[in-house]
Amino acid sequence: MIIQRVVLNSRPGKNGEPVAENFRLEQSTIPDTIQVGQVRVKTLYLSVDPYMRCRMNEDTGSDYLLPWQLAEVADGGGVGVVEESKYDSLAKGDVVTSFNWPWQTVAILDGSVLQKLVPQLVNGRLSYFLGAAGITGLTALLGIKEKGHVAAGANQTMVVSGAAGACGSLAGQIGRLEGCSRVVGIAGTDEKCSILVQEMGFDAAINYKKGNVAEQLRELCPGGVDVYFDNVGGDISDAVISQMNQNSHIILCGQISQYNKDVPYPPPLPPDIENIRKERNITRERFLVLNYMDKQEASVLQLCQWIQEGKLKVRETVVEGLANIGAAFQSMMSGGNIGKQIVSVSK
């Protein structure tokens, strides 16, 4: 069977900006028959995520992320439908997902790596299983629950950087649902800031490209910052940490501003900021959602309930066609998207 797939064409280098040309669309073939235990799936949606920048390097800098290999098919979160099954727990027509879905139109996978989905949980919006009802939503919810120490009625202020992104846009809303009394987002355009406040219920939003972030934080968070959901690192995080309260908490979700730099993860803070962190007893612990998969099922159900009730607003940037996944990746890494970046492969 002839298929299309996307392979890693070149590496941008540890300090380079990724471009669409780092990926290549090509034709390939898969066997016409499947073996016992295997499933043939048609790809519907693929997820494009910031962590994938690390997989473009020969050394990902992480013990849980494997690098993509040159001229080999890339992979990540995906959703598809079963076309043929020789795996007892899955049947033709089932909708399934995997963290390691190959970037190709049709694939033969071991049934054991696939998770069956219930489309009704997301009102049939299957792409949500890669975002708000998937690993992105889990990262936001479990990050806040496990590392944010949010308590209803405690009058806590949360700040979210990268707030218009896939995880940040959910984290701010979840922070409010979990009990924060004030939520402030930081994003890169006036449009994004407007969406955060008017659509997603943030109390305020800062365009970091306009004015002084530290001054705006002092104005918008007069009582200081109790919880910081950090998606970006760098200068923005330094400004937030400087205004955090005693015994406050940083949820270390991502450091996208540092992904094109050859630095360890998590990147060390500047000495003056690290001194503030220590003096104020601010927690900054590495958070990896995969360590909390025992809470996945209950957490996904909670996310789906909020979506169905309209309490969790979802934004997606959907790009049509496997051929455009490289361009989608470049756009996401340059901060051009609002919400989750999804590639629609098949209808």
Side-chain angles (χ1 to χ4, degrees):
M1 178 184 293
I2 298 174
I3 63 163
Q4 287 188 316
R5 67 177 193 170
V6 170
V7 302
L8 185 65
N9 187 50
S10 59
R11 300 189 191 277
K14 281 202 169 185
N15 300 308
E17 298 282 345
V19 294
E21 291 73 26
N22 291 134
F23 300 96
R24 182 177 75 248
L25 180 72
E26 63 180 28
Q27 275 197 348
S28 186
T29 59
I30 60 173
D32 291 326
T33 58
I34 62 175
Q35 305 300 313
V36 173
Q38 291 184 328
V39 177
R40 187 176 77 244
V41 291
K42 178 182 180 181
T43 305
L44 299 177
Y45 297 100
L46 295 171
S47 177
V48 180
D49 301 287
Y51 80 86
M52 293 174 171
R53 173 62 184 86
C54 303
R55 301 192 67 190
M56 299 180 80
N57 299 332
E58 288 184 79
D59 178 6
T60 66
S62 169
D63 53 5
Y64 66 92
L65 286 180
L66 295 175
W68 286 329
Q69 299 300 319
L70 289 172
E72 296 292 333
V73 66
D75 68 309
V79 167
V81 61
V82 175
E83 292 190 325
E84 182 183 358
S85 175
K86 290 187 178 179
Y87 182 72
D88 289 343
S89 301
L90 295 172
K92 182 178 179 179
D94 284 345
V95 178
V96 291
T97 188
S98 169
F99 291 138
N100 301 110
W101 196 288
W103 287 6
Q104 55 193 60
T105 50
V106 180
I108 294 175
L109 303 172
D110 288 336
S112 61
V113 306
L114 296 171
Q115 179 183 355
K116 186 176 176 180
L117 299 172
V118 182
Q120 293 87 342
L121 288 176
V122 291
N123 302 321
R125 296 290 298 271
L126 299 181
S127 58
Y128 282 14
F129 285 118
L130 297 176
I135 198 73
T136 309
L138 286 171
T139 299
L141 177 57
L142 291 171
I144 288 167
K145 280 184 168 292
E146 300 296 330
K147 300 293 185 182
H149 303 277
V150 172
N155 197 32
Q156 291 164 299
T157 294
M158 171 186 278
V159 171
V160 183
S161 57
C167 198
S169 60
L170 298 173
Q173 297 178 75
I174 292 170
R176 171 60 55 74
L177 289 166
E178 286 293 303
C180 285
S181 60
R182 184 165 181 79
V183 178
V184 175
I186 303 174
T189 68
D190 288 342
E191 179 194 10
K192 290 178 179 179
C193 290
S194 177
I195 288 170
L196 291 175
V197 174
Q198 297 180 15
E199 184 178 315
M200 297 184 172
F202 284 62
D203 293 284
I206 296 169
N207 181 349
Y208 69 86
K209 295 180 180 177
K210 287 185 174 180
N212 184 293
V213 172
E215 288 179 1
Q216 293 179 76
L217 279 170
R218 279 192 289 273
E219 180 182 333
L220 295 172
C221 307
V225 177
D226 302 293
V227 184
Y228 173 37
F229 200 98
D230 185 6
N231 285 302
V232 302
D235 293 342
I236 289 174
S237 289
D238 296 347
V240 178
I241 295 169
S242 296
Q243 297 184 46
M244 293 187 74
N245 293 324
Q246 195 75 22
N247 301 320
S248 54
H249 305 283
I250 299 168
I251 302 165
L252 195 61
C253 179
Q255 302 281 276
I256 195 169
S257 73
Q258 309 298 303
Y259 286 171
N260 295 326
K261 300 176 183 178
D262 187 9
V263 294
Y265 186 86
L269 296 170
D272 57 330
I273 303 299
E274 177 63 12
N275 287 336
I276 290 173
R277 190 196 68 77
K278 289 180 177 178
E279 289 168 2
R280 299 180 190 171
N281 193 34
I282 302 170
T283 64
R284 183 180 184 256
E285 301 166 342
R286 187 173 184 174
F287 172 71
L288 178 60
V289 70
L290 298 179
N291 291 338
Y292 300 92
M293 285 298 97
D294 59 315
K295 301 181 180 181
Q296 176 187 10
E297 186 175 352
S299 298
V300 168
L301 289 175
Q302 175 65 84
L303 291 163
C304 290
Q305 181 181 336
W306 282 335
I307 292 168
Q308 290 176 341
E309 294 173 348
K311 293 179 178 177
L312 195 60
K313 304 293 193 302
V314 182
R315 274 275 187 153
E316 293 181 318
T317 302
V318 180
V319 173
E320 299 287 340
L322 186 62
N324 295 315
I325 199 166
F329 187 88
Q330 180 179 350
S331 175
M332 177 205 60
M333 287 300 298
S334 66
N337 305 329
I338 298 174
K340 179 72 177 179
Q341 178 75 71
I342 297 288
V343 174
S344 174
V345 179
S346 304
K347 291 294 186 185

